[in-house]
Amino acid sequence: MNSDIYDDTQLEKDLKNGFGVATSISQVLVRRVAVSRTAEATLFLTDKKQLFLYITGQSNLLLSDVTKIVSRMSLRLEQIMPPKNRPDYFDEVGREKFRQVFPGREHISSDDLRYYRTLAPYNPALIQIAEVKNGEILCFDPDASTGWRVATKFTYRRIRTS
């Protein structure tokens, strides 16, 4: 029990230092579940009833890896939180990667960067979740036939207000 309190406190500090999100954790739904062979995730509710997924990994993770993990966990993402003090982080990295491939192009549109944004390194990752699909949160299990099994059951859908 005490280690869970310390983990929650450390997670709150990591969120504030890494992403600039000052929030308090009210309930942890799944703690450090495997989402790949080298990454783990924690899914939690804040005091404002917002659902967040925090992913860390031993190896490098890209934005495309993180979005695939979110989808395979049976979650629908609402917002990807950029690193602290870098609101255009994914566009910056995407533009840099695009220029490596096409050094002569001067006018780069948002459509041109769509793929290259997904190549941005993103470890640790913080994702705001909009919905838990089918009321089940899945975790990685290499022994399961699909590679994923139910970690816990939880129903959540964020209703947008004005």
Side-chain angles (χ1 to χ4, degrees):
M1 180 68 177
N2 288 338
S3 64
D4 292 346
I5 294 170
Y6 293 133
D7 288 345
D8 293 350
T9 305
Q10 184 61 44
L11 182 57
E12 288 173 1
K13 287 180 185 176
D14 290 344
L15 295 177
K16 186 170 185 170
N17 294 336
F19 300 97
V21 176
T23 188
S24 180
I25 298 172
S26 67
Q27 179 184 3
V28 175
L29 303 173
V30 291
R31 186 183 309 274
R32 291 192 202 149
V33 295
V35 292
S36 75
R37 295 193 187 275
T38 60
E40 56 188 23
T42 300
L43 186 69
F44 61 92
L45 275 171
T46 65
D47 288 341
K48 296 179 182 178
K49 304 299 181 201
Q50 294 174 323
L51 190 63
F52 283 97
L53 180 68
Y54 181 73
I55 302 172
T56 58
Q58 296 171 356
S59 62
N60 296 331
L61 293 172
L62 302 177
L63 180 60
S64 61
D65 298 330
V66 171
T67 55
K68 186 181 280 188
I69 287 170
V70 170
S71 176
R72 291 202 174 152
M73 287 184 73
S74 188
L75 304 172
R76 190 171 58 85
L77 69 88
E78 179 170 339
Q79 183 179 6
I80 299 167
M81 308 301 273
K84 184 177 181 180
N85 298 328
R86 295 186 70 185
D88 297 327
Y89 170 73
F90 300 111
D91 288 335
E92 292 168 9
V93 173
R95 191 167 275 109
E96 178 183 316
K97 300 274 186 190
F98 185 84
R99 285 194 178 127
Q100 288 174 357
V101 176
F102 303 104
R105 295 259 322 253
E106 292 182 19
H107 302 288
I108 302 171
S109 70
S110 178
D111 290 336
D112 294 334
L113 295 179
R114 183 174 298 148
Y115 168 72
Y116 294 96
R117 278 188 202 113
T118 64
L119 301 177
Y122 195 42
N123 185 16
L126 181 64
I127 307 292
Q128 186 174 2
I129 302 298
E131 176 184 2
V132 176
K133 299 175 190 172
N134 302 323
E136 295 178 337
I137 299 165
L138 305 178
C139 68
F140 179 71
D141 184 7
D143 295 331
S145 62
T146 62
W148 294 83
R149 65 175 170 81
V150 176
T152 189
K153 293 184 184 254
F154 184 74
T155 304
Y156 179 86
R157 178 176 290 155
R158 180 156 183 215
I159 299 171
R160 303 220 38 147
T161 58
S162 57

